[in-house]
Amino acid sequence: MKPNRDVGIVGHGAYVPRFRLPASEVARVWTDGTGGLPIKEKAVAGMDEDTATMSLEAARNALARAEIDPAQIRAVWVGSESHPYAVKPTSTIVAEAIGATPDTLAGDWEFACKAGSEALQASIALVGSGMADLALTIGADTAQGRPGDALEYTAGSGAAAYIIGPREKSLAYFEASHSYVTDTPDFFRRPYQHFPQHGSRFTGEPAYFEHTLAASRALLEAMGRQPQDYAYAVFHQPNARFPQKAAKTLGFTTEQVKPGLLVPLIGNVYAGSSLIGLTAVLDVARPGDKVFMASYGSGAGSDAFSLVVTDAVLERQKRAPTTQAYIARRKEIDYATYVRYRRKLHIH
């Protein structure tokens, strides 16, 4: 897919909460410290943080890099599966807080971990059609895992924000994209349930790998590209193993993937996972670099994107904190504190 008008990223920003829960602490409580650990630690939102507050922090960083008037933004779209309200948009809270209201679109997106990249596709289309010059896309989550479940090791918190605008104003522009979806029930949460369920046998081959590889291969083939044409590659990161296996299967190297592979240190940020990996890449990319990104969302689908970094990236990288700076700003907590912060103990 390619819009009629070339568009790109005018500003990007990330936010990662400072609290960290080591995976070994989860294992200590639930398995007496036995068994392997899928990551080192994950980021945990504080008691005063949620998808709205994290989205706002990431959006402010994106605005700082873009140096635009927020009133010019014609769409604010937030993708998440942990919106703070069941019925009340997160997007209007963010739009009001940054000064984008009232003359703008606003809406919340849902497609499991693909909600953020789905909103990104819509922003590319909106700006690419000429209906708007600027749109704000956010992927954010305070991901939930049932206590003792395998997801609890990896379900993290964080946000990534992108201001999409015309190519001539961009620090990186989109060459093309491809989306691939099927009805594959690998992960879901029913109404009134606090925690999601996952179909373990669906999670890998028929879900993550089928969709991620199919979207990626279709885009590479359509563009006549090879993995070695790219400086960086970013994939959705439910754990450390899946994105590295997908990259290797496609022909990408460890060196291409490493700068955007954040899951070992912050966990799976769900709707922000691939998007926050991309922010880390844009923090270090150089003009002319090509970047490949493929998201994944349960249910199931993948969005693959091809980007080219422009000369504007060098100056804009300095205007806001880097993603790695947020990762380095950490405070370790124990399991009991984590339970309190994420309100996993319900008293009636």
Short mmCIF file of all heavy atoms in Angstrom, two decimals, residues 112-175:
data_model
loop_
_atom_site.label_atom_id
_atom_site.label_comp_id
_atom_site.label_asym_id
_atom_site.label_seq_id
_atom_site.Cartn_x
_atom_site.Cartn_y
_atom_site.Cartn_z
N ALA A 112 -5.47 -5.77 19.64
CA ALA A 112 -4.43 -6.36 20.47
C ALA A 112 -3.13 -5.58 20.29
O ALA A 112 -3.14 -4.35 20.32
CB ALA A 112 -4.26 -7.84 20.17
N CYS A 113 -2.02 -6.26 20.06
CA CYS A 113 -0.72 -5.58 19.97
C CYS A 113 -0.52 -4.84 18.66
O CYS A 113 0.50 -4.16 18.48
CB CYS A 113 0.41 -6.58 20.18
SG CYS A 113 0.40 -7.37 21.81
N LYS A 114 -1.45 -4.96 17.72
CA LYS A 114 -1.36 -4.25 16.43
C LYS A 114 -2.15 -2.96 16.42
O LYS A 114 -2.20 -2.26 15.39
CB LYS A 114 -1.84 -5.18 15.30
CG LYS A 114 -1.44 -4.73 13.92
CD LYS A 114 -1.76 -5.80 12.87
CE LYS A 114 -3.17 -5.70 12.37
NZ LYS A 114 -3.33 -4.60 11.39
N ALA A 115 -2.76 -2.60 17.53
CA ALA A 115 -3.61 -1.40 17.56
C ALA A 115 -2.83 -0.14 17.19
O ALA A 115 -3.34 0.74 16.50
CB ALA A 115 -4.25 -1.25 18.93
N GLY A 116 -1.59 -0.05 17.66
CA GLY A 116 -0.79 1.14 17.36
C GLY A 116 -0.42 1.25 15.90
O GLY A 116 -0.52 2.33 15.29
N SER A 117 0.01 0.13 15.29
CA SER A 117 0.39 0.18 13.88
C SER A 117 -0.83 0.29 12.97
O SER A 117 -0.75 0.82 11.87
CB SER A 117 1.23 -1.05 13.50
OG SER A 117 0.49 -2.23 13.62
N GLU A 118 -1.98 -0.20 13.43
CA GLU A 118 -3.22 -0.03 12.68
C GLU A 118 -3.58 1.46 12.62
O GLU A 118 -3.97 1.98 11.57
CB GLU A 118 -4.35 -0.80 13.37
CG GLU A 118 -5.62 -0.92 12.54
CD GLU A 118 -5.51 -1.99 11.47
OE1 GLU A 118 -4.69 -2.90 11.61
OE2 GLU A 118 -6.28 -1.90 10.50
N ALA A 119 -3.42 2.15 13.75
CA ALA A 119 -3.65 3.60 13.77
C ALA A 119 -2.61 4.33 12.91
O ALA A 119 -2.92 5.34 12.28
CB ALA A 119 -3.60 4.11 15.21
N LEU A 120 -1.40 3.80 12.89
CA LEU A 120 -0.36 4.39 12.04
C LEU A 120 -0.74 4.29 10.56
O LEU A 120 -0.56 5.24 9.80
CB LEU A 120 0.97 3.69 12.31
CG LEU A 120 2.19 4.19 11.53
CD1 LEU A 120 2.48 5.64 11.85
CD2 LEU A 120 3.41 3.32 11.86
N GLN A 121 -1.26 3.14 10.15
CA GLN A 121 -1.72 2.99 8.78
C GLN A 121 -2.79 4.04 8.44
O GLN A 121 -2.78 4.63 7.37
CB GLN A 121 -2.30 1.58 8.55
CG GLN A 121 -1.28 0.46 8.50
CD GLN A 121 -0.58 0.36 7.15
OE1 GLN A 121 -0.23 1.37 6.57
NE2 GLN A 121 -0.38 -0.85 6.68
N ALA A 122 -3.71 4.25 9.38
CA ALA A 122 -4.78 5.22 9.15
C ALA A 122 -4.23 6.64 9.05
O ALA A 122 -4.71 7.45 8.25
CB ALA A 122 -5.82 5.13 10.27
N SER A 123 -3.22 6.95 9.86
CA SER A 123 -2.61 8.29 9.80
C SER A 123 -1.90 8.50 8.48
O SER A 123 -1.95 9.59 7.89
CB SER A 123 -1.63 8.47 10.97
OG SER A 123 -2.30 8.55 12.20
N ILE A 124 -1.20 7.47 8.02
CA ILE A 124 -0.54 7.57 6.71
C ILE A 124 -1.57 7.83 5.62
O ILE A 124 -1.37 8.67 4.74
CB ILE A 124 0.24 6.27 6.42
CG1 ILE A 124 1.42 6.12 7.38
CG2 ILE A 124 0.73 6.24 4.98
CD1 ILE A 124 2.10 4.76 7.33
N ALA A 125 -2.69 7.13 5.70
CA ALA A 125 -3.74 7.30 4.69
C ALA A 125 -4.38 8.69 4.78
O ALA A 125 -4.65 9.33 3.75
CB ALA A 125 -4.81 6.22 4.87
N LEU A 126 -4.62 9.17 6.00
CA LEU A 126 -5.26 10.47 6.18
C LEU A 126 -4.39 11.59 5.62
O LEU A 126 -4.86 12.45 4.87
CB LEU A 126 -5.54 10.71 7.66
CG LEU A 126 -6.33 11.98 8.00
CD1 LEU A 126 -7.79 11.81 7.59
CD2 LEU A 126 -6.23 12.30 9.49
N VAL A 127 -3.12 11.58 5.98
CA VAL A 127 -2.20 12.61 5.49
C VAL A 127 -1.90 12.38 4.01
O VAL A 127 -1.83 13.33 3.22
CB VAL A 127 -0.91 12.62 6.32
CG1 VAL A 127 0.08 13.65 5.77
CG2 VAL A 127 -1.22 12.93 7.78
N GLY A 128 -1.75 11.12 3.63
CA GLY A 128 -1.44 10.81 2.24
C GLY A 128 -2.55 11.15 1.27
O GLY A 128 -2.30 11.41 0.09
N SER A 129 -3.78 11.19 1.76
CA SER A 129 -4.91 11.56 0.90
C SER A 129 -5.06 13.07 0.74
O SER A 129 -5.81 13.52 -0.11
CB SER A 129 -6.21 11.00 1.50
OG SER A 129 -6.57 11.72 2.67
N GLY A 130 -4.37 13.82 1.60
CA GLY A 130 -4.51 15.26 1.56
C GLY A 130 -5.60 15.81 2.47
O GLY A 130 -5.81 17.01 2.53
N MET A 131 -6.30 14.92 3.19
CA MET A 131 -7.34 15.38 4.11
C MET A 131 -6.77 16.12 5.32
O MET A 131 -7.46 16.89 5.97
CB MET A 131 -8.18 14.20 4.58
CG MET A 131 -9.10 13.63 3.53
SD MET A 131 -10.12 12.26 4.18
CE MET A 131 -11.13 13.13 5.39
N ALA A 132 -5.49 15.85 5.62
CA ALA A 132 -4.84 16.50 6.76
C ALA A 132 -3.36 16.62 6.47
O ALA A 132 -2.81 15.85 5.68
CB ALA A 132 -5.08 15.70 8.04
N ASP A 133 -2.70 17.58 7.11
CA ASP A 133 -1.25 17.71 6.98
C ASP A 133 -0.52 17.04 8.13
O ASP A 133 0.64 16.65 7.98
CB ASP A 133 -0.85 19.18 6.92
CG ASP A 133 -0.84 19.71 5.50
OD1 ASP A 133 -0.83 18.89 4.56
OD2 ASP A 133 -0.86 20.94 5.31
N LEU A 134 -1.19 16.91 9.28
CA LEU A 134 -0.53 16.32 10.45
C LEU A 134 -1.50 15.43 11.21
O LEU A 134 -2.67 15.78 11.39
CB LEU A 134 -0.01 17.41 11.38
CG LEU A 134 1.11 18.31 10.84
CD1 LEU A 134 1.29 19.53 11.74
CD2 LEU A 134 2.42 17.54 10.70
N ALA A 135 -1.03 14.28 11.65
CA ALA A 135 -1.82 13.36 12.47
C ALA A 135 -0.92 12.75 13.52
O ALA A 135 0.26 12.48 13.26
CB ALA A 135 -2.45 12.27 11.60
N LEU A 136 -1.47 12.52 14.70
CA LEU A 136 -0.72 11.94 15.81
C LEU A 136 -1.19 10.51 16.05
O LEU A 136 -2.37 10.27 16.27
CB LEU A 136 -0.92 12.78 17.08
CG LEU A 136 -0.35 12.21 18.39
CD1 LEU A 136 1.15 12.03 18.31
CD2 LEU A 136 -0.72 13.13 19.56
N THR A 137 -0.25 9.58 16.02
CA THR A 137 -0.53 8.17 16.27
C THR A 137 0.23 7.71 17.50
O THR A 137 1.42 8.01 17.65
CB THR A 137 -0.08 7.31 15.08
OG1 THR A 137 -0.90 7.59 13.96
CG2 THR A 137 -0.20 5.83 15.41
N ILE A 138 -0.45 6.97 18.38
CA ILE A 138 0.18 6.49 19.61
C ILE A 138 -0.14 5.00 19.81
O ILE A 138 -1.26 4.57 19.58
CB ILE A 138 -0.33 7.28 20.84
CG1 ILE A 138 0.01 8.76 20.70
CG2 ILE A 138 0.24 6.71 22.13
CD1 ILE A 138 -0.67 9.65 21.72
N GLY A 139 0.86 4.26 20.22
CA GLY A 139 0.66 2.88 20.67
C GLY A 139 1.12 2.80 22.12
O GLY A 139 2.26 3.16 22.43
N ALA A 140 0.22 2.42 23.02
CA ALA A 140 0.56 2.42 24.45
C ALA A 140 -0.21 1.33 25.17
O ALA A 140 -1.33 0.99 24.79
CB ALA A 140 0.23 3.78 25.07
N ASP A 141 0.39 0.80 26.24
CA ASP A 141 -0.31 -0.21 27.03
C ASP A 141 0.28 -0.31 28.43
O ASP A 141 1.47 -0.05 28.64
CB ASP A 141 -0.22 -1.59 26.38
CG ASP A 141 -1.49 -1.96 25.61
OD1 ASP A 141 -2.58 -1.90 26.23
OD2 ASP A 141 -1.41 -2.28 24.42
N THR A 142 -0.59 -0.66 29.38
CA THR A 142 -0.17 -1.16 30.68
C THR A 142 -0.60 -2.62 30.69
O THR A 142 -1.62 -2.97 31.26
CB THR A 142 -0.83 -0.39 31.84
OG1 THR A 142 -2.26 -0.43 31.66
CG2 THR A 142 -0.39 1.05 31.87
N ALA A 143 0.17 -3.44 30.00
CA ALA A 143 -0.24 -4.79 29.69
C ALA A 143 -0.50 -5.62 30.94
O ALA A 143 0.19 -5.48 31.95
CB ALA A 143 0.82 -5.46 28.83
N GLN A 144 -1.50 -6.50 30.85
CA GLN A 144 -1.93 -7.30 31.99
C GLN A 144 -1.64 -8.77 31.78
O GLN A 144 -1.77 -9.29 30.68
CB GLN A 144 -3.44 -7.13 32.21
CG GLN A 144 -3.85 -5.72 32.57
CD GLN A 144 -3.28 -5.27 33.90
OE1 GLN A 144 -3.31 -6.00 34.88
NE2 GLN A 144 -2.73 -4.07 33.94
N GLY A 145 -1.23 -9.44 32.85
CA GLY A 145 -1.08 -10.89 32.84
C GLY A 145 -1.67 -11.46 34.11
O GLY A 145 -1.49 -10.90 35.19
N ARG A 146 -2.40 -12.54 34.00
CA ARG A 146 -2.96 -13.18 35.17
C ARG A 146 -1.84 -13.60 36.12
O ARG A 146 -0.83 -14.15 35.67
CB ARG A 146 -3.78 -14.40 34.75
CG ARG A 146 -4.51 -15.10 35.89
CD ARG A 146 -5.23 -16.34 35.38
NE ARG A 146 -6.16 -16.01 34.31
CZ ARG A 146 -7.40 -15.55 34.52
NH1 ARG A 146 -7.84 -15.38 35.76
NH2 ARG A 146 -8.19 -15.26 33.50
N PRO A 147 -1.97 -13.36 37.41
CA PRO A 147 -0.92 -13.77 38.35
C PRO A 147 -0.54 -15.23 38.19
O PRO A 147 -1.41 -16.11 38.19
CB PRO A 147 -1.56 -13.49 39.72
CG PRO A 147 -2.49 -12.36 39.47
CD PRO A 147 -3.05 -12.61 38.10
N GLY A 148 0.75 -15.48 38.02
CA GLY A 148 1.24 -16.83 37.84
C GLY A 148 1.25 -17.31 36.40
O GLY A 148 1.84 -18.34 36.09
N ASP A 149 0.58 -16.59 35.49
CA ASP A 149 0.54 -16.98 34.10
C ASP A 149 1.86 -16.64 33.41
O ASP A 149 2.60 -15.76 33.85
CB ASP A 149 -0.61 -16.24 33.40
CG ASP A 149 -0.85 -16.74 31.98
OD1 ASP A 149 -1.62 -17.69 31.80
OD2 ASP A 149 -0.25 -16.16 31.05
N ALA A 150 2.15 -17.32 32.31
CA ALA A 150 3.39 -17.06 31.57
C ALA A 150 3.46 -15.61 31.10
O ALA A 150 4.56 -15.02 31.02
CB ALA A 150 3.48 -18.00 30.37
N LEU A 151 2.31 -15.00 30.81
CA LEU A 151 2.30 -13.60 30.36
C LEU A 151 2.83 -12.64 31.42
O LEU A 151 3.30 -11.55 31.09
CB LEU A 151 0.88 -13.19 29.97
CG LEU A 151 0.27 -13.85 28.72
CD1 LEU A 151 -1.17 -13.38 28.55
CD2 LEU A 151 1.09 -13.51 27.49
N GLU A 152 2.75 -13.03 32.69
CA GLU A 152 3.14 -12.10 33.74
C GLU A 152 4.63 -11.78 33.70
O GLU A 152 5.07 -10.73 34.16
CB GLU A 152 2.75 -12.64 35.11
CG GLU A 152 2.79 -11.55 36.17
CD GLU A 152 2.20 -12.00 37.49
OE1 GLU A 152 2.37 -13.17 37.86
OE2 GLU A 152 1.57 -11.17 38.15
N TYR A 153 5.42 -12.67 33.14
CA TYR A 153 6.85 -12.40 33.01
C TYR A 153 7.13 -11.25 32.05
O TYR A 153 8.08 -10.48 32.23
CB TYR A 153 7.57 -13.64 32.50
CG TYR A 153 7.70 -14.76 33.50
CD1 TYR A 153 6.73 -15.76 33.58
CD2 TYR A 153 8.78 -14.83 34.36
CE1 TYR A 153 6.84 -16.79 34.49
CE2 TYR A 153 8.90 -15.87 35.28
CZ TYR A 153 7.92 -16.84 35.34
OH TYR A 153 8.04 -17.87 36.26
N THR A 154 6.31 -11.13 31.02
CA THR A 154 6.65 -10.23 29.92
C THR A 154 5.73 -9.02 29.76
O THR A 154 6.11 -8.05 29.09
CB THR A 154 6.64 -11.00 28.59
OG1 THR A 154 5.35 -11.62 28.42
CG2 THR A 154 7.72 -12.06 28.57
N ALA A 155 4.51 -9.06 30.30
CA ALA A 155 3.53 -8.00 30.04
C ALA A 155 3.97 -6.68 30.67
O ALA A 155 3.86 -6.48 31.87
CB ALA A 155 2.16 -8.41 30.58
N GLY A 156 4.50 -5.76 29.85
CA GLY A 156 5.09 -4.53 30.34
C GLY A 156 4.26 -3.29 30.05
O GLY A 156 3.12 -3.37 29.60
N SER A 157 4.86 -2.12 30.31
CA SER A 157 4.17 -0.84 30.16
C SER A 157 5.07 0.15 29.41
O SER A 157 6.28 0.17 29.62
CB SER A 157 3.81 -0.25 31.52
OG SER A 157 2.98 -1.12 32.26
N GLY A 158 4.44 0.95 28.55
CA GLY A 158 5.19 1.97 27.82
C GLY A 158 4.36 2.55 26.70
O GLY A 158 3.22 2.11 26.46
N ALA A 159 4.92 3.53 26.01
CA ALA A 159 4.19 4.21 24.94
C ALA A 159 5.15 4.74 23.89
O ALA A 159 6.31 5.07 24.18
CB ALA A 159 3.36 5.36 25.50
N ALA A 160 4.66 4.81 22.66
CA ALA A 160 5.39 5.42 21.55
C ALA A 160 4.44 6.29 20.75
O ALA A 160 3.28 5.90 20.55
CB ALA A 160 6.01 4.35 20.65
N ALA A 161 4.91 7.46 20.33
CA ALA A 161 4.06 8.41 19.61
C ALA A 161 4.75 8.88 18.34
O ALA A 161 5.98 9.08 18.33
CB ALA A 161 3.72 9.60 20.50
N TYR A 162 3.95 9.08 17.30
CA TYR A 162 4.48 9.54 16.01
C TYR A 162 3.58 10.63 15.45
O TYR A 162 2.36 10.46 15.38
CB TYR A 162 4.54 8.38 15.01
CG TYR A 162 5.56 7.34 15.39
CD1 TYR A 162 5.21 6.27 16.20
CD2 TYR A 162 6.88 7.46 14.97
CE1 TYR A 162 6.15 5.32 16.57
CE2 TYR A 162 7.83 6.52 15.34
CZ TYR A 162 7.46 5.45 16.14
OH TYR A 162 8.40 4.53 16.52
N ILE A 163 4.18 11.71 15.03
CA ILE A 163 3.45 12.75 14.29
C ILE A 163 3.74 12.51 12.81
O ILE A 163 4.90 12.55 12.37
CB ILE A 163 3.88 14.15 14.72
CG1 ILE A 163 3.49 14.37 16.19
CG2 ILE A 163 3.21 15.21 13.83
CD1 ILE A 163 4.00 15.65 16.78
N ILE A 164 2.69 12.24 12.06
CA ILE A 164 2.80 11.93 10.64
C ILE A 164 2.47 13.18 9.83
O ILE A 164 1.49 13.88 10.11
CB ILE A 164 1.83 10.78 10.26
CG1 ILE A 164 2.08 9.56 11.15
CG2 ILE A 164 2.00 10.43 8.79
CD1 ILE A 164 3.49 9.04 11.13
N GLY A 165 3.32 13.47 8.85
CA GLY A 165 3.13 14.65 8.02
C GLY A 165 3.71 14.45 6.63
O GLY A 165 4.14 13.34 6.27
N PRO A 166 3.76 15.50 5.83
CA PRO A 166 4.29 15.39 4.46
C PRO A 166 5.77 14.97 4.46
O PRO A 166 6.52 15.27 5.38
CB PRO A 166 4.14 16.82 3.91
CG PRO A 166 3.12 17.47 4.77
CD PRO A 166 3.28 16.86 6.12
N ARG A 167 6.17 14.28 3.41
CA ARG A 167 7.53 13.78 3.31
C ARG A 167 8.58 14.88 3.46
O ARG A 167 9.61 14.68 4.10
CB ARG A 167 7.71 13.07 1.96
CG ARG A 167 9.15 12.69 1.65
CD ARG A 167 9.26 11.92 0.35
NE ARG A 167 10.66 11.77 -0.05
CZ ARG A 167 11.08 11.02 -1.08
NH1 ARG A 167 10.20 10.35 -1.80
NH2 ARG A 167 12.36 10.94 -1.39
N GLU A 168 8.30 16.05 2.89
CA GLU A 168 9.31 17.12 2.91
C GLU A 168 9.59 17.66 4.31
O GLU A 168 10.59 18.32 4.53
CB GLU A 168 8.89 18.26 1.98
CG GLU A 168 7.54 18.89 2.29
CD GLU A 168 6.39 18.22 1.53
OE1 GLU A 168 6.56 17.05 1.08
OE2 GLU A 168 5.34 18.87 1.40
N LYS A 169 8.71 17.35 5.25
CA LYS A 169 8.91 17.80 6.63
C LYS A 169 9.38 16.66 7.55
O LYS A 169 9.51 16.85 8.76
CB LYS A 169 7.60 18.37 7.19
CG LYS A 169 7.08 19.60 6.47
CD LYS A 169 5.78 20.08 7.09
CE LYS A 169 5.24 21.31 6.35
NZ LYS A 169 3.95 21.79 6.95
N SER A 170 9.66 15.51 6.97
CA SER A 170 9.84 14.30 7.77
C SER A 170 11.30 13.99 8.09
O SER A 170 12.20 14.32 7.33
CB SER A 170 9.24 13.10 7.04
OG SER A 170 7.86 13.29 6.83
N LEU A 171 11.51 13.31 9.21
CA LEU A 171 12.82 12.77 9.57
C LEU A 171 13.01 11.36 9.02
O LEU A 171 14.12 10.83 8.98
CB LEU A 171 13.04 12.81 11.08
CG LEU A 171 12.06 12.06 11.99
CD1 LEU A 171 12.47 10.61 12.18
CD2 LEU A 171 11.97 12.74 13.35
N ALA A 172 11.90 10.73 8.63
CA ALA A 172 11.92 9.45 7.93
C ALA A 172 10.60 9.33 7.18
O ALA A 172 9.55 9.66 7.72
CB ALA A 172 12.07 8.28 8.90
N TYR A 173 10.65 8.88 5.93
CA TYR A 173 9.40 8.79 5.16
C TYR A 173 9.09 7.32 4.84
O TYR A 173 9.97 6.47 4.80
CB TYR A 173 9.46 9.63 3.89
CG TYR A 173 10.48 9.19 2.86
CD1 TYR A 173 10.17 8.25 1.88
CD2 TYR A 173 11.76 9.73 2.85
CE1 TYR A 173 11.09 7.85 0.93
CE2 TYR A 173 12.71 9.34 1.91
CZ TYR A 173 12.37 8.40 0.95
OH TYR A 173 13.29 8.01 0.03
N PHE A 174 7.80 7.07 4.65
CA PHE A 174 7.32 5.72 4.35
C PHE A 174 7.37 5.48 2.84
O PHE A 174 6.83 6.25 2.06
CB PHE A 174 5.89 5.55 4.83
CG PHE A 174 5.75 5.60 6.33
CD1 PHE A 174 5.39 6.78 6.97
CD2 PHE A 174 5.98 4.48 7.11
CE1 PHE A 174 5.27 6.85 8.34
CE2 PHE A 174 5.87 4.53 8.49
CZ PHE A 174 5.51 5.71 9.11
N GLU A 175 8.03 4.38 2.47
CA GLU A 175 8.06 4.00 1.06
C GLU A 175 6.79 3.23 0.69
O GLU A 175 6.19 3.46 -0.36
CB GLU A 175 9.26 3.12 0.78
CG GLU A 175 10.59 3.82 0.90
CD GLU A 175 11.73 2.89 0.50
OE1 GLU A 175 11.98 1.92 1.24
OE2 GLU A 175 12.34 3.14 -0.56
#
